[in-house]
Amino acid sequence: MEPRKLAAGNWKMNGDLAALGQIDALLAGAGDAACDVLICPPATLIHPMVARVGSADLLVGGQDCHAKDAGAHTGDISARQLRDIGASHVILGHSERRADHGETDADVAAKAGAAQAAGLIAIICVGETEDQRDQGRTLEVIAEQLAGSLPQGATAAYTVLAYEPVWAIGTGRTPTVAQIAEVHALLRDKLTARLDDGAQVTLLYGGSVKPANAAEIFAIPNVDGALVGGASLKAEDFAPIISALAAA
Ligand code: 13P
C-alpha cells in the first residue's frame, strides 16, 4: 500500500475569523479525493474552521499540543482537547517551536505519544539549519532528530514526517531535487527499519513550496505531499498545490 498523499497548510500565527472565507474558496476549487487536504490554523480558528468545513472533505489540525492530557499548564492545549474540537492532526516539533520555545526531540516524542493516544495524527517536523548543511552534517542531524522525536509505538496510521530545512522556510529558497531526494530516502530507510509499516508513513517536504515548484517537488521519490506555510494562506495559491499533488 502506498503512503497517503497529504497537502497540509500551516497558517502559523496568521489569520482571523475573516480568513475562514479561504476555506469556502478551497472547498469550491479543490474537492479532489486523490489526496488528503489539511489546514492547521492558529488555535483560535480550529473550532470555527471545523464548523465551517461541516461534512466537506477538508481536515483541520493544530500546530502544537501539550504532552499531558490536562492539568495546571497555563496557555497550553492538550492533544485530547484538540481531538475534542474536531482536529485530526497536530504539527509537532516545527523548527519555529524548537527555536522559539526550546523544544527538544524528547519533548516532541512525548507530545507525539500523547497525540497518538488521543487519536490525532502527529506531523513530526525535522530539518537542518544552513550551518549544519554547510558543515555536511544534514543526514546526521536528520537521523538524530528522527530517532529522538518518534514516539514509542509509532504507526503509519498516526505518524507523518515533514522534512523542513530551516533555511528554506519563508525564504523562497528550496533545496535541489537531489537534496530533497537524499533526505527523504534516509527518512524512508530509517522508518522502515524502525516500524513494521514504515513504508506507509506519509513523508512531506516543507519550505517555500509554491504553485510554481510543487509539481517538481511532488515528482521526487518518497515525497508524498507538502507542509506549506505562506502559500497555504490564500486559496488561490494553495489550490494549485493541491491539484499538483493530486496529479502526481
Ligand atoms: P513556507 O512555506 O512559508 O516556507 O513555510 C514552510 C513551513 O514552515 C510550513 O510548516
Side-chain angles (χ1 to χ4, degrees), residues 26 29-30 210-212 214-215 218 231 234-247:
L26 214 51
K210 308 274 181 253
F218 296 146
K234 294 227 167 346
E236 67 192 58
D237 295 327
F238 198 37
I241 294 173
I242 297 166
S243 301
L245 180 60

Side-chain angles (χ1 to χ4, degrees), residues 121-207:
I121 298 170
I123 302 178
I124 298 172
C125 303
V126 296
E128 83 286 2
T129 64
E130 187 156 32
D131 276 355
Q132 289 166 333
R133 179 163 282 281
D134 290 347
Q135 292 160 13
R137 296 181 49 220
T138 298
L139 296 184
E140 166 205 334
V141 166
I142 300 297
E144 186 183 327
Q145 287 179 339
L146 175 65
S149 303
L150 208 59
Q152 290 296 321
T155 61
Y158 288 100
T159 310
V160 170
L161 248 294
Y163 168 51
E164 297 208 313
V166 177
W167 53 274
I169 294 175
T171 58
R173 299 165 57 203
T174 50
T176 63
V177 164
Q179 287 171 331
I180 297 175
E182 182 182 42
V183 172
H184 278 244
L186 174 88
L187 290 173
R188 182 66 72 206
D189 282 353
K190 298 282 180 196
L191 286 165
T192 309
R194 186 157 156 185
L195 310 183
D196 289 343
D197 57 2
Q200 272 120 55
V201 174
T202 297
L203 302 184
L204 308 181
Y205 167 76

